Amino acid sequence: MLSDDIKAQLTGYLQRLQRPIELVASYDDSPAGQEMRALMSDIVSCSDRVSVREDTTQALKPSFGIAAAGQAPRVRFAGLPMGHEFTSLVLALLHVGGHPPKVGAETIEQIRALEGDLHFEVFMSLSCHNCPDVVQALNMIAALNPNVRSTSIDGALFQDEAQRRDVMAVPALFLNGEPFASGRMSVAEILAKLDVKSAQRGAAKLNAEAPFDVLVVGGGPAGCAAAVYAARKGIRTGLVAERLGGQTNDTLSIENYISVLETQGPKFALDLESHVRQYGVEVMTLQRVARLDPATEPGGLAEVHTESGGVLKARAVVLATGARWRNVNVPGEHEYRNKGVAYCPHCDGPLFKGKRVAVIGGGNSGVEAAIDLAGVVAHVTLLEYDTRLKADAVLVDKLHSLPNVSVRLGAQTTEITGDGNRVRGLRYVDRVAGGEQQLDLEGVFVQIGLVPNTDFLKGTVELNRFGEVPVDEKCQTRVAGVFAAGDATTVPYKQIVVAAGEGAKAALSAFEHLVRTPVPQAHMAMAA
């Protein structure tokens, strides 16, 4: 099952076990069941502190639990945790075995304080790059708190179970049998959702912060670059964001960032965070900004208000809020989101194995999605509003070579239809021949570009008709002391390397602004 190199690495990791652990396995006669037997045998061979026994009572087979010797398993995998989830397996073995997780003491205390019988189930897919964060977070919580159990379910292997729960997108989280959340979540985000008072504590911390010289709003490549460049000037720098990494967290592979031949998006996001924290930037995550109040006098303090009720003050603000997937905005899209309407083919594609799906969008993202899905689903129909595909020629050639892909050009999607529980079809208007057409299918993947995250700036900072922030060559907006960078701005080419460069430029411009702007006497006293 495992290669000799992998077993050698696993042997090294398992030397960190602080106590014996037991694998409690439930097999069946399927190929996956046979593979699980081999996996259990390989893990046991890597450490004399690991043993295995069989349990025939589990409903989901093949599956296995991990427990400290003499205890019932609180961490369980239904399916084979390979691919992106192999790291989740290794961490689960270590954490159940007493090896301390890499989180702060405050987080561990918050986990151990959770009360009540909490059974989490997370549906994931082995090709999903967002799922491991959720799986690892829940497994760690279960390893630390005896009141918590976590079961990770491979939605592609247990497709009937996924359909019974109406799971059409991963990661999908259930708590005690009821839907809890969907999408990528960190330990902090899960704890914040469980602890209703955490938002109040977070707002109080923000309100206690002294004014910043530069406050960056946004944690993607532009925001992180701005924070690093500002902090290197020796000025008090803060960064407020929902999460660090921005869209790179949701990017499978990055191959065009100069000097980095190839990396995975989540790893790139972690590298951004490490770089920011190295310079002592005050990082405030899990915060969504609700309003910006610019300074009312030259050299005064701008105020950034968060949805949690916190208020941060700064002499200069860099807006680097990035962008999100653009909706097609037709009837049925919102109703069937995560019930057949999806936005990530890598994450959710395996859930549509053997089904008919559509991809809306003929740019690079749409064509790449159709190519990826063609290897999993029964048939892909790509719909493009224009009369030609806008993707790179090499991608278009690959698309046309696939036998289970059809392309509809001049197709304007008008409605996504369903039976009330999940997607059953799509309607579109043929802009060339005329008339409305109906497609019968089970999934729709929307890939039509991005929309900037600037809604909170309406009425404060000028926006163009696309919602972008207009900036000059120094990343200045028309509001004194407010700068902007990255995908939220009018700068063309929404690329990581462009966003990072613009973030650096915005920080340098903000520093120049601070040097040239006197500080009012009252604000000097506040800072002191």
Side-chain angles (χ1 to χ4, degrees):
M1 179 65 191
L2 300 179
S3 69
D4 290 341
D5 287 344
I6 295 297
K7 285 197 287 187
Q9 294 178 39
L10 184 58
T11 298
Y13 285 126
L14 294 182
Q15 290 177 0
R16 305 175 187 177
L17 292 174
Q18 303 298 306
R19 60 191 177 210
I21 61 175
E22 187 177 47
L23 306 177
V24 184
S26 297
Y27 306 115
D28 62 7
D29 295 329
S30 68
Q34 298 305 313
E35 289 180 358
M36 184 168 289
R37 286 184 183 275
L39 177 62
M40 297 296 98
S41 177
D42 284 346
I43 295 174
V44 169
S45 72
C46 292
S47 174
D48 58 7
R49 289 199 159 195
V50 183
S51 60
V52 62
R53 67 177 173 85
E54 188 169 351
D55 174 15
T56 61
T57 64
Q58 293 298 316
L60 294 179
K61 299 178 182 179
S63 66
F64 67 96
I66 306 173
Q71 298 182 8
R74 300 198 301 269
V75 174
R76 177 167 291 275
F77 289 94
L80 290 163
M82 306 303 290
H84 286 302
E85 293 297 344
F86 186 71
T87 299
S88 302
L89 168 61
V90 175
L91 290 174
L93 294 168
L94 293 177
H95 294 159
V96 173
H99 184 70
K102 293 182 179 180
V103 294
E106 183 178 349
T107 299
I108 292 176
E109 182 180 350
Q110 192 175 3
I111 291 171
R112 288 177 171 162
L114 293 174
E115 298 179 350
D117 184 18
L118 306 177
H119 180 203
F120 286 99
E121 296 163 289
V122 54
F123 283 83
M124 50 80 174
S125 73
L126 301 183
S127 61
C128 173
H129 54 283
N130 290 323
C131 293
D133 275 6
V134 179
V135 171
Q136 292 165 23
L138 292 176
N139 287 348
M140 183 184 69
I141 293 171
L144 291 172
N145 188 319
N147 299 318
V148 180
R149 289 174 293 149
S150 174
T151 302
S152 302
I153 304 170
D154 181 355
L157 184 62
F158 293 95
Q159 204 162 26
D160 290 343
E161 183 68 14
Q163 291 181 1
R164 185 180 72 82
R165 301 281 195 95
D166 289 327
V167 174
M168 302 293 288
V170 293
L173 287 75
F174 291 79
L175 174 57
N176 295 336
E178 298 296 327
F180 176 74
S182 62
R184 187 189 190 104
M185 296 183 77
S186 65
V187 174
E189 289 170 318
I190 294 170
L191 293 176
K193 191 171 176 66
L194 291 170
D195 184 356
V196 294
K197 294 183 179 180
S198 63
Q200 298 174 0
R201 293 194 298 269
K205 286 184 178 180
L206 298 186
N207 292 331
E209 290 282 356
F212 294 96
D213 292 310
V214 171
L215 177 63
V216 179
V217 180
C224 289
V228 167
Y229 268 74
R232 282 173 60 88
K233 293 295 184 182
I235 58 180
R236 177 166 162 75
T237 304
L239 185 153
V240 59
E242 289 189 71
R243 60 175 180 170
L244 287 178
Q247 293 176 61
T248 64
N249 285 293
D250 305 319
T251 303
L252 183 61
S253 179
I254 298 171
E255 299 177 351
N256 57 358
Y257 195 85
I258 304 306
S259 84
V260 180
L261 295 181
E262 191 276 333
T263 187
Q264 300 294 309
K267 181 182 183 303
F268 188 86
L270 289 174
D271 290 341
L272 288 176
E273 179 175 359
S274 298
H275 204 168
V276 168
R277 293 189 183 278
Q278 181 179 345
Y279 284 97
V281 175
E282 186 70 26
V283 176
M284 298 154 283
T285 55
L286 300 183
Q287 298 294 335
R288 182 191 290 268
V289 173
R291 190 174 85 244
L292 167 66
D293 291 340
T296 56
E297 59 181 322
L301 296 174
E303 292 186 350
V304 172
H305 297 252
T306 68
E307 290 186 355
S308 67
V311 181
L312 298 165
K313 298 179 174 64
R315 295 176 60 203
V317 175
V318 175
L319 302 170
T321 49
R324 61 189 182 277
W325 287 114
R326 185 181 298 277
N327 294 325
V328 70
N329 290 324
V330 298
E333 179 182 21
H334 178 75
E335 179 183 357
Y336 293 108
R337 186 186 300 266
N338 294 335
K339 297 179 181 179
V341 175
Y343 298 84
C344 180
H346 304 294
C347 301
D348 301 330
L351 298 176
F352 295 85
K353 183 178 180 180
K355 300 182 184 298
R356 299 177 67 87
V357 304
V359 173
I360 302 175
N364 282 347
S365 296
V367 172
E368 287 176 346
I371 292 170
D372 289 343
L373 289 167
V376 178
V377 304
H379 188 271
V380 181
T381 302
L382 186 144
L383 298 98
E384 165 56 36
Y385 181 87
D386 203 347
T387 55
R388 63 180 183 87
L389 295 177
K390 294 170 286 188
D392 295 342
V394 63
L395 294 175
V396 174
D397 290 343
K398 173 65 175 176
L399 182 75
H400 287 311
S401 73
L402 300 173
N404 62 335
V405 174
S406 59
V407 178
R408 309 285 175 91
L409 299 176
Q412 180 180 355
T413 303
T414 57
E415 184 180 4
I416 296 171
T417 60
D419 60 10
N421 293 316
R422 59 186 62 195
V423 166
R424 294 302 183 191
L426 177 150
R427 292 192 180 101
Y428 71 94
V429 170
D430 188 328
R431 298 175 55 241
V432 178
E436 188 174 66
Q437 304 290 325
Q438 168 78 31
L439 290 175
D440 295 327
L441 41 77
E442 291 82 29
V444 177
F445 288 80
V446 180
Q447 300 280 293
I448 56 173
L450 302 169
V451 59
N453 296 316
T454 56
D455 292 343
F456 73 98
L457 295 172
K458 291 178 179 177
T460 303
V461 175
E462 179 188 2
L463 304 176
N464 68 8
R465 65 189 181 93
F466 302 110
E468 298 168 325
V469 181
V471 292
D472 64 11
E473 68 277 4
K474 288 189 173 183
C475 296
Q476 297 177 115
T477 72
R478 294 191 178 182
V479 178
V482 177
F483 304 81
D487 287 3
T489 73
T490 51
V491 171
Y493 312 120
K494 312 304 185 185
Q495 299 290 314
I496 295 173
V497 69
V498 174
E502 291 294 303
K505 189 163 60 174
L508 295 174
S509 297
F511 178 72
E512 182 180 56
H513 166 78
L514 296 179
V515 170
R516 295 175 179 273
T517 306
V519 181
Q521 202 66 30
H523 298 313
M524 292 181 65
M526 184 186 300

